[in-house]
């Protein structure tokens, strides 16, 4: 007789029931649980964790799960034969509470990885490929999430590489952003490399130190540190046409300049790391301390000070509630409010019961990740896609978008009760999906309602030595200004010059309008690859780690194509590049973020959406499985 497991009741009480059902199919080999009356039904206002099941059905499921898990853990650890591909397909439909279109099946099977196989891992196994790999020397710029990933994959392929990193450690954005409250707004169990799951995330949304340590841990585990040159700044990269190689000038830690030679260069410098300081008249005249959120001055004690925060984007949204209780007074200058997406567990810890299930219930973790992946990716796409026949007002782009807008307003409304005028101030007048929405568990509006906090919506006119003057002539006297004003995102690869064929400089070629083929390759720049390049950002559907994993697979595939064909360089054909960009532009026109009434950093100075991928995620996955030699000029 199986012994009681002390934590099992607690674990089942906290379980994500749809993922638990999937685990039970693996444990019992019995798919009869996937009956229509147990199929999850998700409701915007209800907890997805319970799958919309009635209390009676929940109780039934927990009792079946208790018996099955207890017996399994008391047994020899053997599972029945794995579900057939057809059953897995049914399980996918079941857990999402709908029907997953067939074209997603490959991508989702790979994400699910029930067989434990890391399908994106490169395999350069033939002696010819191994020999070719040993001759390649790839230079990766940046040791953040994407650069480390490129290093891991190149190492697995047997390709030589060096990572140049300007900072003293790895982690990129998760090293640099240390502002109070900094955390990711993708669920922890999704925001990690697909091949490096972590069952021990302490919170549902990881804080910056936890993510920094995760990426440090990956750098250590994969032995990347000996390949990284820290405190080294790339100054310029120049393609040597005669040698068919890149010459990359760097400034070393000791201040000396050095030129490195590489067969290919991968830029992994990110989009969101050069602070944007707004062009407000008098900005530099301010007599107090002033700093940007991504360069937080921990030496400036805000306790008891009068503080101004300019901006109400994702960063300010996180640090305002943190600093509000300690400052004497906080003026929050809002130009445009963000959309608030209800996320009750945003600051919650993973309970011991949940952690136990992730660790012990077979395949529970995989299906939980799968569920998060679907719910946060293309499951949301249609809601932010514009309908050309939409006749409503410009606060939405389709009837579905207008309906979601209304649902979000209803979720915000109760938070503003008893605070006259606040609801009007915090409801965006642009469509949902126009800008990145933020995750709301109530702390933002609670902070704005504090007696020592004022939400200022009057436009800023100027900054003076004493503070900030708004258009109505009011001087808001402050001791400290914190700029939560974002990044110069559309200036891709801003911090160094890149000279391609014929000496053309990349930024001159772009002329303020960065474009690339699939975000990665650019005509005239042979063997230059960009991760998180133009039009590879996502607004609602997905985690950027997924994009980087797709890009890196494609880049390693491109190097493999060179190795297999005996060519030394590749660059995209101009007509292929242009046709791709024309398709992107046309599609972006119809997304909420491309709507003419929306202004944001997703659009460059020319008004073109240069940041975002406008198609479903599955299209990027499909397009990047393997480079097509016909798309490239090979030399
Ligand atoms: P952001 O989203 O670009 O927000 C900048 C804020 O500053 C906006 O409210 C903007 O208003 C305002 N602003 C800019 N110039 C201004 C001016 N001249 N006068 C007044 N207000 C001005 O920047 P961010 O908050 O740093 O976030 C950037 C991106 O980083 C996010 O979208 C996200 O992708 C990423 N991020 C993610 C997380 C996370 O995962 N939790 C956290 C932080 C950042 P307008 O909207 O009117 O332009």
């Amino acid at each position: 007789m199986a012994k009681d497991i002390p934590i099992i009741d607690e674990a089942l009480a906290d379980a994500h029931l749809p993922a638990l059902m999937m685990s039970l199919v693996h444990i019992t080999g019995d798919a009869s649980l996937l009956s229509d009356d147990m199929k999850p039904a998700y409701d915007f206002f209800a907890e997805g964790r319970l799958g919309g099941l009635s209390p009676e059905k929940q109780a039934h499921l927990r009792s079946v799960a208790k018996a099955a898990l207890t017996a399994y853990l008391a047994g020899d650890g053997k599972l029945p034969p794995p579900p057939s591909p057809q059953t897995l397909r049914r399980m996918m439909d079941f857990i999402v509470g709908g029907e997953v279109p067939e074209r997603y099946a490959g991508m989702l099977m790979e994400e699910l990885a029930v067989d434990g196989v890391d399908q994106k891992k490169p395999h350069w196994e033939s002696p010819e490929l191994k020999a070719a790999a040993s001759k390649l020397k790839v230079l990766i710029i940046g040791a953040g999430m994407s650069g480390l990933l490129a290093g891991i994959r190149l190492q697995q392929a047997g390709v030589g590489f060096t990572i140049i990193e300007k900072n003293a450690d790895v982690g990129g954005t998760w090293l640099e952003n240390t502002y109070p409250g900094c955390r990711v707004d993708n669920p922890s169990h999704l925001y990690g490399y697909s091949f490096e799951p972590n069952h021990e995330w302490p919170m549902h949304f990881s804080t910056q130190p936890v993510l920094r340590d995760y990426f440090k841990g990956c750098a250590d585990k994969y032995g990347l540190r000996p390949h990284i040159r820290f405190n080294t700044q790339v100054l310029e990269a120049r393609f040597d046409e005669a040698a068919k190689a890149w010459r990359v000038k760097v400034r070393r830690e000791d201040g000396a300049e050095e030129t490195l030679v590489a067969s290919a260069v991968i830029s992994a410098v990110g989009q969101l790391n050069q602070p944007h300081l707004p062009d407000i008249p008098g900005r530099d005249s301010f007599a107090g301390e002033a700093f940007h959120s991504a360069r937080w001055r921990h030496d400036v004690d805000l306790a008891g000070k009068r503080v101004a925060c300019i901006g109400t984007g994702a960063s300010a949204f996180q640090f305002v509630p943190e600093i509000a209780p300690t400052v004497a007074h906080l003026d929050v200058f809002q130009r445009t409010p963000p959309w608030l997406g209800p996320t009750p567990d945003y600051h919650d810890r993973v309970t011991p019961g949940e952690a136990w299930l992730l660790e012990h219930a077979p395949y529970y973790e995989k299906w939980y990740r799968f569920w998060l992946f679907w719910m946060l990716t293309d499951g949301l796409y249609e809601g932010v896609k514009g309908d050309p026949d939409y006749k409503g007002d410009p606060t939405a782009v389709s009837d579905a978008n207008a309906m979601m807008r209304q649902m979000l307003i209803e979720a915000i409304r109760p938070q503003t009760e008893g605070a006259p005028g606040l609801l009007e101030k915090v409801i965006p007048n642009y469509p949902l999906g126009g800008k990145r929405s933020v995750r709301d568990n109530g702390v933002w509006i609670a902070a704005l309602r504090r007696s020592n906090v004022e939400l200022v919506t009057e436009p800023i006119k100027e900054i003076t030595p004493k503070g900030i003057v708004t258009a109505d002539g009011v001087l808001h006297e402050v001791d400290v200004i914190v700029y939560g004003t974002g990044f110069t995102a559309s200036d891709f690869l801003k911090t160094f010059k890149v000279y391609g064929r014929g000496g053309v400089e990349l930024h001159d070629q772009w002329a303020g309008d960065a474009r690339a083929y699939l975000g990665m390759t650019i005509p005239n720049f042979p063997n230059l690859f960009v991760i998180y390049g133009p039009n590879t950002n996502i607004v609602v559907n997905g985690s950027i780690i997924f994009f980087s994993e797709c890009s890196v697979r494609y880049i390693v595939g491109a190097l493999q194509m060179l190795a297999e064909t005996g060519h030394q360089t590749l660059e995209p054909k101009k007509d292929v590049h242009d046709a791709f960009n024309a398709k992107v532009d046309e599609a972006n026109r119809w997304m909420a973020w491309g709507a003419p009434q929306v202004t944001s950093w997703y659009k460059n100075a020319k008004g073109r959406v240069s940041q975002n991928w406008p198609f479903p995620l599955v299209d990027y996955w499909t397009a990047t499985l393997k480079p097509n030699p016909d798309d490239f000029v090979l030399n």
Side-chain angles (χ1 to χ4, degrees):
M1 169 109 181
K3 272 207 292 198
D4 262 6
I5 303 160
I7 197 170
I8 201 159
D9 290 320
E10 190 184 332
L12 293 173
D14 291 350
H16 185 276
L17 297 180
L20 183 67
M21 281 192 252
M22 301 299 109
S23 175
L24 287 179
V25 175
H26 287 274
I27 297 173
T28 60
D30 178 5
S32 65
L33 199 63
L34 312 185
S35 60
D36 282 349
D37 69 322
M38 289 299 279
K39 190 162 183 168
Y42 300 104
D43 168 350
F44 178 78
F45 289 100
E47 262 189 280
R49 191 174 68 86
L50 300 176
L53 295 175
S54 66
E56 296 72 35
K57 287 179 186 168
Q58 290 178 34
H60 167 68
L61 178 60
R62 289 192 178 102
S63 97
V64 171
K66 183 171 178 177
L69 263 171
T70 311
Y72 163 72
L73 291 171
D76 58 7
K78 282 215 182 101
L79 289 171
S84 67
Q86 293 78 6
T87 305
L88 281 172
R89 205 50 201 82
R90 260 183 74 209
M91 291 165 80
M92 285 182 177
D93 288 348
F94 193 87
I95 193 173
V96 305
E99 258 179 56
V100 172
E102 196 49 40
R103 72 193 188 103
Y104 285 85
M107 175 180 87
L108 294 178
M109 284 290 184
E110 181 177 290
E111 238 337 272
L112 191 56
V114 274
D115 52 7
V117 175
D118 170 8
Q119 287 183 33
K120 295 198 187 90
K121 184 176 172 180
H123 293 280
W124 292 34
E125 266 137 26
S126 72
E128 296 78 22
L129 265 181
K130 280 190 176 155
S134 67
K135 288 194 199 120
L136 286 169
K137 262 170 65 183
V138 177
L139 195 132
I140 301 165
I141 309 175
M145 177 276 288
S146 300
L148 295 175
L149 176 64
I152 292 169
R153 293 312 196 192
L154 289 178
Q155 191 166 56
Q156 289 169 338
V159 172
F161 67 96
T162 300
I163 304 179
I164 304 296
E165 171 53 58
K166 69 180 187 327
N167 294 324
D169 208 339
V170 304
T173 200
W174 297 113
L175 178 72
E176 290 177 7
N177 282 274
T178 62
Y179 60 79
C182 181
R183 70 172 69 218
V184 70
D185 57 10
N186 256 282
S188 307
H189 299 94
L190 184 60
Y191 194 83
Y193 298 132
S194 59
F195 54 92
E196 256 325 307
N198 178 7
H199 295 161
E200 287 163 19
W201 294 117
M203 305 189 88
H204 284 284
F205 293 84
S206 299
T207 56
Q208 172 263 334
V210 169
L211 283 166
R212 180 201 59 206
D213 291 349
Y214 171 81
F215 289 111
K216 281 186 181 188
C218 290
D220 292 334
K221 175 173 175 184
Y222 288 88
L224 297 180
R225 287 184 187 273
H227 298 271
I228 306 176
R229 291 183 58 170
F230 291 107
N231 299 309
T232 303
Q233 178 89 37
V234 171
L235 303 175
E236 69 165 51
R238 195 175 280 276
F239 185 66
D240 177 338
E241 290 184 61
K244 294 188 181 171
W246 282 94
R247 297 190 183 282
V248 182
K249 199 193 283 180
V250 301
R251 183 177 299 114
R252 299 194 312 223
E253 189 170 8
D254 62 8
E257 290 185 4
E258 182 183 343
T259 298
L260 308 171
V261 179
S263 12
V265 171
I266 299 177
S267 167
V269 298
Q271 287 187 10
L272 302 166
N273 99 343
Q274 295 303 311
H276 160 70
L277 288 176
D279 239 351
I280 298 172
R283 193 187 78 209
D284 296 333
S285 70
F286 181 60
E289 300 286 4
F291 55 88
H292 186 272
S293 60
R295 303 285 181 269
W296 196 268
R297 289 271 308 277
H298 293 278
D299 61 322
V300 177
D301 184 5
L302 298 180
K305 301 259 170 56
R306 296 166 304 172
V307 179
C309 161
I310 303 182
T312 51
S315 302
F317 188 79
Q318 293 182 329
F319 69 74
V320 160
E322 296 290 320
I323 64 173
T326 56
V327 300
H329 185 82
L330 179 62
D331 286 317
V332 179
F333 291 87
Q334 172 183 280
R335 192 164 66 178
T336 320
W339 274 110
L340 313 183
T343 312
D345 63 349
Y346 189 33
H347 287 174
D348 288 357
R349 300 193 70 79
V350 176
T351 65
E354 289 169 305
W356 185 88
L357 282 170
L358 288 162
E359 183 75 38
H360 296 284
Y363 294 99
Y364 175 90
E365 176 266 337
K366 290 208 178 292
W367 283 102
Y368 181 48
R369 181 179 159 105
F370 174 90
W371 182 84
L372 290 170
F373 186 87
W374 178 257
M375 290 296 163
L376 293 176
T377 58
D378 289 348
L380 290 175
Y381 176 80
E382 289 300 329
V384 295
K385 195 170 169 190
D387 172 2
D389 297 326
Y390 174 66
K391 300 277 184 301
D393 68 47
T395 57
V397 290
S398 69
D399 288 333
N401 190 255
M403 193 180 77
M404 281 164 70
R405 171 188 178 83
Q406 212 43 50
M407 280 167 26
L408 285 183
I409 293 174
E410 292 319 313
I412 299 166
R413 191 186 301 279
Q415 297 188 45
T416 60
E417 264 161 29
L422 185 56
L423 183 67
E424 292 69 31
K425 283 185 174 181
V426 297
I427 299 292
N429 64 1
Y430 59 86
L432 174 66
K435 303 186 189 205
R436 193 177 168 102
S437 56
V438 288
R439 294 204 171 262
D440 180 38
N441 62 348
V443 300
W444 171 250
I445 290 184
L448 298 183
R449 295 183 67 152
R450 290 177 63 91
S451 57
N452 68 334
V453 176
E454 189 185 348
L455 178 63
V456 183
T457 52
E458 189 70 18
I460 296 175
K461 184 171 148 231
E462 61 175 333
I463 295 179
T464 68
K466 287 187 165 176
I468 296 174
V469 180
T470 38
D472 53 8
V474 174
L475 167 66
H476 301 259
E477 275 194 64
V478 290
D479 308 306
V480 181
I481 299 177
V482 184
Y483 290 98
T485 44
F487 301 89
T488 55
S490 53
D491 294 338
F492 289 88
L493 281 59
K494 180 185 181 182
T495 54
F496 52 94
K497 298 270 185 200
V498 189
Y499 298 94
R501 271 193 306 104
V504 61
E505 205 280 318
L506 179 62
H507 303 89
D508 291 344
Q509 175 166 310
W510 276 339
D513 189 6
R515 291 160 190 261
Y517 177 48
L518 292 171
M520 288 181 277
T521 59
I522 305 148
N524 291 328
F525 293 85
N527 290 7
L528 172 69
F529 301 97
V530 183
I531 310 177
Y532 202 9
N535 295 107
T536 61
N537 197 5
I538 37 186
V539 184
V540 290
N541 52 330
S543 132
I544 200 63
I545 298 185
F546 174 84
F547 255 77
S548 292
E549 289 197 16
C550 291
S551 301
V552 170
R553 164 156 61 189
Y554 183 88
I555 293 167
V556 176
L559 295 173
Q560 182 169 347
M561 187 164 80
L562 291 178
E564 282 169 348
T565 59
H567 290 98
Q568 281 173 275
T569 65
L570 61 79
E571 64 184 284
K573 289 178 181 161
K574 188 162 179 330
D575 59 334
V576 170
H577 167 275
D578 291 352
F580 165 77
N581 276 283
K583 263 173 58 188
V584 163
D585 289 349
E586 173 57 20
N588 262 328
R589 230 160 57 86
W590 295 106
M591 300 309 293
W593 51 80
Q597 68 272 32
V598 172
T599 52
S600 79
W601 56 267
Y602 294 150
K603 294 180 179 172
N604 63 23
K606 302 201 166 164
R608 172 179 176 264
V609 176
S610 57
Q611 310 302 124
N612 299 334
W613 177 254
F615 308 110
L617 220 57
V618 66
D619 290 342
Y620 197 69
W621 182 84
T622 309
T624 54
L625 280 171
K626 199 172 190 263
N628 176 357
D630 296 342
D631 292 346
F632 295 95
V633 179
L634 295 159
N635 271 303

